[in-house]
Amino acid sequence: MIKFKTTLATQSRFDSINFNDLRFGIYFSDHIYVSDYINGAWTEGEIKPYGPFEIEPAMCTLHYGQALFEGLKAFRSVKGGVNLFRPYKNAERLNKSAERICIPPFDIERLIEAMKELCRIDYKFIPTKRGNALYIRPVAFGTGNFLGVHESDTYRLIIITSPVASYYPEGLNPVRIMVSDTYTRAAKGGTGSAKVAGNYAASLLATKKARELGYSQVLWLDAISHQFVDEVGAMNIMFVIDDELITPSLENGTILPGVTRDSVLTIAREWGMKVIERAISIEEVISAHSQGKLNEVFGTGTAAVISPVGVLGYKGKDYIINDNKIGTYAQKFYDAITGIQYGELEDTHGWILHIEV
Ligand code: COI
């Protein structure tokens, strides 16, 4: 076990947190992990109080966005201690994102150990309420100061943690999603499958416009034909047509390989459901809707968990799905995944990394 140099906070942020109204990502725990890449290697890193750090105006990431992030959750297990859900999947994806934008890979065991240590030190920040969790956010970015467009030679990796409720204020209630046939999120050969900051910056304008029209988020279509469904940006998307579970495949490299996506597909296959990862056009979705075969649409993501889609807005028309109610499958997947996360259901897949506190 790595023992990180640790400086404990002298003042806690705990009392300023409204645990009855957590929302997503507005509160932060007392400590942060920081490691720097200097002289060709990542330092072991240290844990210190959460707080601002100084940057130079010429820091390359501010100008050219050489930054990535991850998101995973820690839960209070009903059996005591803390459960991290599939942290190795996130750690591996972090290094894949890093490769895509020329950030040197991070030692996976050290990353996991840093997350575990933050959970131990800031244990009291892990919400007790069912449905809430401690969201763990690793971020890595270039720290070089220059204006030429090239990769940095120094980097910083930080991990912050945030007690959260579910991503959408709706919780498990259905959300309204607008299909964007104007803007695109990612093209083949681009960075769509990497969790890099620029993908999210590129999504802001379309999302803002969708919000102004009363939708929560945008469903992105492919960049070339604007026909095939990609993802929502904060979550992957799944359709239940008849009794088949259909979701866009990862093969084009334009969507994020979601950890919750993988978990849902795994569970669905175990339940004997027909699961198909393939290209699915928005016209097929609308046609299934008009034939009464589109039984459910839901998003999957770490922050969103399972988010039923009650309304799909496309070309000025709203398509109501499953009477705008939580679908049977959405509810079942939510119960199965959260049951494992909180230690209520047996973890038959080895998805939980348990931390004694
Ligand atoms: C997550 O689900 O962890 C995400 O990163 C989505 C969003 C908060 C950006």
Side-chain angles (χ1 to χ4, degrees):
M1 191 172 106
I2 310 165
K3 199 77 204 120
F4 299 107
K5 180 186 168 205
T6 300
T7 311
L8 293 178
T10 48
Q11 277 204 320
S12 179
R13 312 165 69 85
F14 187 77
D15 288 339
S16 65
I17 298 179
N18 182 357
F19 277 90
N20 294 319
D21 183 23
L22 273 182
R23 292 180 272 163
F24 181 83
I26 58 168
Y27 297 116
F28 304 101
S29 317
D30 280 342
H31 297 92
I32 170 175
Y33 169 80
V34 185
S35 166
D36 285 312
Y37 183 88
I38 24 177
N39 301 324
W42 288 102
T43 58
E44 183 165 275
E46 58 180 296
I47 289 177
K48 42 181 167 182
Y50 179 100
F53 42 71
E54 278 192 0
I55 53 170
E56 284 195 28
M59 190 179 83
C60 59
T61 296
L62 294 179
H63 304 247
Y64 305 128
Q66 196 188 6
L68 64 83
F69 70 96
E70 264 304 325
L72 62 156
K73 279 177 173 168
F75 305 84
R76 276 186 197 241
S77 169
V78 293
K79 297 177 197 130
V82 178
N83 284 346
L84 284 183
F85 187 67
R86 308 192 74 180
Y88 283 91
K89 270 268 200 221
N90 291 88
E92 282 158 19
R93 192 173 64 185
L94 181 142
N95 275 345
K96 285 207 178 108
S97 302
E99 188 184 358
R100 181 63 182 81
I101 57 168
C102 300
I103 295 181
F106 201 79
D107 182 273
I108 285 185
E109 286 306 330
R110 197 187 304 163
L111 188 71
I112 303 275
E113 199 49 56
M115 296 192 288
K116 285 168 73 176
E117 189 59 10
L118 284 175
C119 288
R120 288 188 204 105
I121 290 181
D122 281 333
Y123 175 70
K124 66 180 178 193
F125 287 85
I126 306 177
T128 49
K129 191 173 153 202
R130 181 72 159 79
N132 296 350
L134 188 73
Y135 186 79
I136 303 174
R137 170 56 66 88
V139 187
F141 51 94
T143 49
N145 301 303
F146 53 83
L147 297 185
V149 182
H150 57 81
E151 72 277 20
S152 185
D153 59 0
T154 57
Y155 297 89
R156 175 162 288 187
L157 181 137
I158 59 171
I159 307 175
I160 59 175
T161 68
S162 170
V164 295
S166 68
Y167 187 67
Y168 298 106
E170 288 89 339
L172 189 56
N173 290 319
V175 291
R176 292 166 54 87
I177 299 285
M178 190 178 120
V179 181
S180 176
D181 54 358
T182 326
Y183 299 100
T184 49
R185 174 185 172 273
K188 216 169 168 175
T191 55
S193 65
K195 209 162 174 62
V196 298
N199 288 346
Y200 295 81
S203 76
L204 295 179
L205 180 61
T207 309
K208 179 170 176 262
K209 290 187 174 180
R211 270 209 317 273
E212 283 162 7
L213 294 171
Y215 301 92
S216 299
Q217 287 224 339
V218 165
L219 175 63
W220 302 100
L221 302 177
D222 76 278
I224 297 170
S225 69
H226 291 280
Q227 271 303 306
F228 293 96
V229 172
D230 268 354
E231 59 156 80
V232 174
M235 55 188 191
N236 294 114
I237 192 87
M238 304 205 176
F239 304 90
V240 182
I241 298 181
D242 287 329
D243 276 329
E244 291 178 1
L245 183 64
I246 305 170
T247 196
S249 74
L250 302 175
E251 68 185 17
N252 284 339
T254 55
I255 67 174
L256 198 77
V259 177
T260 312
R261 175 188 182 279
D262 181 78
S263 310
V264 166
L265 297 183
T266 304
I267 291 170
R269 288 190 176 105
E270 286 169 5
W271 286 347
M273 224 180 152
K274 190 162 176 203
V275 174
I276 315 171
E277 295 173 72
R278 65 162 167 88
I280 177 164
S281 71
I282 191 65
E283 290 306 334
E284 181 182 342
V285 173
I286 301 300
S287 150
H289 181 272
S290 63
Q291 293 169 52
K293 297 198 297 191
L294 181 65
N295 295 325
E296 288 185 41
V297 180
F298 56 87
T300 63
T302 296
V305 195
I306 303 289
S307 178
V309 177
V311 176
L312 260 189
Y314 181 53
K315 291 196 187 294
K317 192 171 164 198
D318 276 349
Y319 296 87
I320 314 290
I321 297 144
N322 192 36
D323 284 335
N324 203 10
K325 296 199 182 97
I326 304 167
T328 316
Y329 281 113
Q331 182 72 56
K332 272 180 73 176
F333 287 124
Y334 178 85
D335 291 345
I337 287 181
T338 57
I340 296 169
Q341 290 172 331
Y342 290 97
E344 295 155 352
L345 296 177
E346 196 190 342
D347 172 29
T348 55
H349 309 90
W351 285 344
I352 295 298
L353 181 67
H354 186 74
I355 310 166
E356 296 292 343
V357 283

